[in-house]
Amino acid sequence: MSERQYMRVRADMPPGHVRTPAYLRGKVGWVERTLGPFPNPEQLAYGMQAMPLPLMRVRFTMADIWGADADRPRDTIDAEIYRHWLEPAEAPHAT
Amino acid sequence: MPHDHHDHLSPSGHPYRPDDDHPLTYWQQMEIAVRELLIEKGVTTAQEIAAQIDTMDARNPSHGAAVVARAWTDPDFRDDLLQDASAATREMGFDIGPMRLIALENTDTEHNVVVCTLCSCYPRNLLGLPPDWYKSRAYRARTVKEPRKVLAEFGVTLPDTTTVRVHDSTADMRYVVIPARPAGTEGWHADDLATLVTRDSMIGTGLPKSPDIA
Amino acid sequence: MTKNTTFDGRRWHDMGGTAAGPVPTDQHDFSLWEKRVDALMIIASGKGHFTVDGLRRVLEDMSEDAFETMTYYERWIASVNQNLIEAGVYTTAELGQRMSDVAARGTTYGEAASE
């Protein structure tokens, strides 16, 4: 298995049309696969010319999203996040 | 000419809801006005609207069931489906339009379930329009936090040895689950296997029907 | 009404992980007018007059109250209309006049939909 590429979702909370769910902001996951490029929905939504962006399927563990509230820590969530919402990160926990 | 659908059954096998004789609502008034303006402005035609309704009515879970059954019986097709589900379903002859599809395979150790927390993204061009519960606050809110409790409400209880993988359909991809093939179906033909594949099993909130009760 | 001084920027439609009750099991058959709204969205967006992102933007800009009190396709036609006006396909005045004309045809959907 190739090395995991970890990414942190930006924790920003701007108003307007955004496709990055709030519950994932600030959380760290790893890239499951890279898709796209796809036009930026934050521009498409307002009828503007949209910049093509890589779209990453990022996989998070329930533990890394919900902490002690996690139902089953090892279950996972995958979500598609546009590249400009992601920053390279360290693995979230020592394993 | 008065519309009269009472002699016809909808694709779901029920009589059409007799909406024509309900009091007109503000939003229905708007739909009629918008539709007429779009026709007058040359954006569309009455025929094109009717054809689009027919196209959507024709899309239903049996299409997905045929895809799943073929994946169960044709290893090369399964590989193609996991590689590029849009291309594989088109190759089977299904008109999925521009939809970008990813197939998620359930195994002995992994169970996939699909949700859209931000709106109601759904593989409608393969499975038809989503069920009402898929668009509900409860499903959208809870599935990413307590998927096993949500699955239990649908009658699906998974062992601890199974990893649940929730897929939040946030952007450009749509998802269809390939449920695990039920035991006791060895040697079955794809057409018969397809009768076991339910809509919910392709969302991940259900399992295929058992061959004993099908 | 109390002032919400604890607002953190999370918008009402962004529901993942929030508390909610049991998943409802009710299901309805789509009526003709709902199917027409769906078709208008697919056709008008397919022809480039607006995008699904524009549809979502207007739905999100509607209040949480709209989510609770309007049906799915009621919210959709409101958003489709808003996007078409923004795109200049027709004007608000044209819509207003046509809606009045529609209402004058009768008191049921069937009567109002027949010119």
Side-chain angles (χ1 to χ4, degrees), chain B residues 84-86 89 96 99-103 123 126 173-176:
Chain B
D84 183 342
S86 300
T89 49
I96 62 164
M99 184 172 69
R100 300 182 186 94
L101 191 65
I102 288 179
L126 181 65
M173 309 309 291
R174 300 293 174 267
Y175 298 91
V176 61

Side-chain angles (χ1 to χ4, degrees), chain A residues 44 47 51-52 77 82:
Chain A
L44 283 180
M51 180 186 294
I77 294 175
Y82 294 92

Side-chain angles (χ1 to χ4, degrees), chain B residues 64-145:
Chain B
V67 172
V68 169
R70 182 159 172 207
W72 283 347
T73 52
D74 179 344
D76 289 339
F77 178 78
R78 170 199 168 270
D79 294 346
D80 291 346
L81 188 66
L82 292 175
Q83 184 70 33
D84 183 342
S86 300
T89 49
R90 284 193 193 103
E91 184 261 329
M92 268 188 85
F94 292 115
D95 167 27
I96 62 164
M99 184 172 69
R100 300 182 186 94
L101 191 65
I102 288 179
L104 308 162
E105 187 180 48
N106 286 353
T107 66
D108 289 345
T109 55
E110 291 190 12
H111 181 94
N112 297 282
V113 58
V114 182
V115 63
C116 174
T117 61
L118 297 175
C119 47
S120 52
C121 297
Y122 185 78
R124 50 181 277 151
N125 286 3
L126 181 65
L127 302 185
L129 296 173
D132 289 348
W133 57 258
Y134 187 85
K135 303 183 281 188
S136 70
R137 173 186 293 278
Y139 187 74
R140 290 169 52 183
R142 293 174 52 217
T143 303
V144 291
K145 188 161 187 185

Side-chain angles (χ1 to χ4, degrees), chain A residues 3-76:
Chain A
E3 202 163 309
R4 285 177 178 173
Q5 180 187 5
Y6 285 95
M7 290 282 189
R8 182 184 305 278
V9 183
R10 293 187 57 85
D12 308 343
M13 295 296 272
H17 179 73
V18 166
R19 296 300 291 181
T20 305
Y23 73 92
L24 294 177
R25 297 189 205 174
K27 306 300 184 189
V28 175
W30 66 95
V31 178
E32 190 265 345
R33 72 182 91 171
T34 300
L35 303 158
F38 292 114
N40 184 352
E42 296 164 22
Q43 294 167 309
L44 283 180
Y46 300 92
M48 299 189 298
Q49 281 286 336
M51 180 186 294
L53 294 168
L55 180 64
M56 304 185 134
R57 292 196 83 240
V58 183
R59 178 165 290 177
F60 305 83
T61 67
M62 290 284 178
D64 288 332
I65 298 173
W66 307 116
D69 286 347
D71 198 14
R72 291 286 198 295
R74 288 173 191 276
D75 288 346
T76 63

Side-chain angles (χ1 to χ4, degrees), chain B residues 31 40-41 120 124 137 141, chain C residues 38 64 72 94 98 109:
Chain B
E31 177 271 310
E40 277 178 23
K41 301 282 182 184
S120 52
R124 50 181 277 151
R137 173 186 293 278
Chain C
D38 197 272
E64 184 165 14
Y72 190 77
E94 288 175 298
R98 182 57 56 103
Y109 181 79

Side-chain angles (χ1 to χ4, degrees), chain B residues 6 10 48-49 56 83 89 122 211:
Chain B
H6 297 281
S10 78
E48 188 176 36
I49 294 165
M56 259 335 284
Q83 184 70 33
T89 49
Y122 185 78

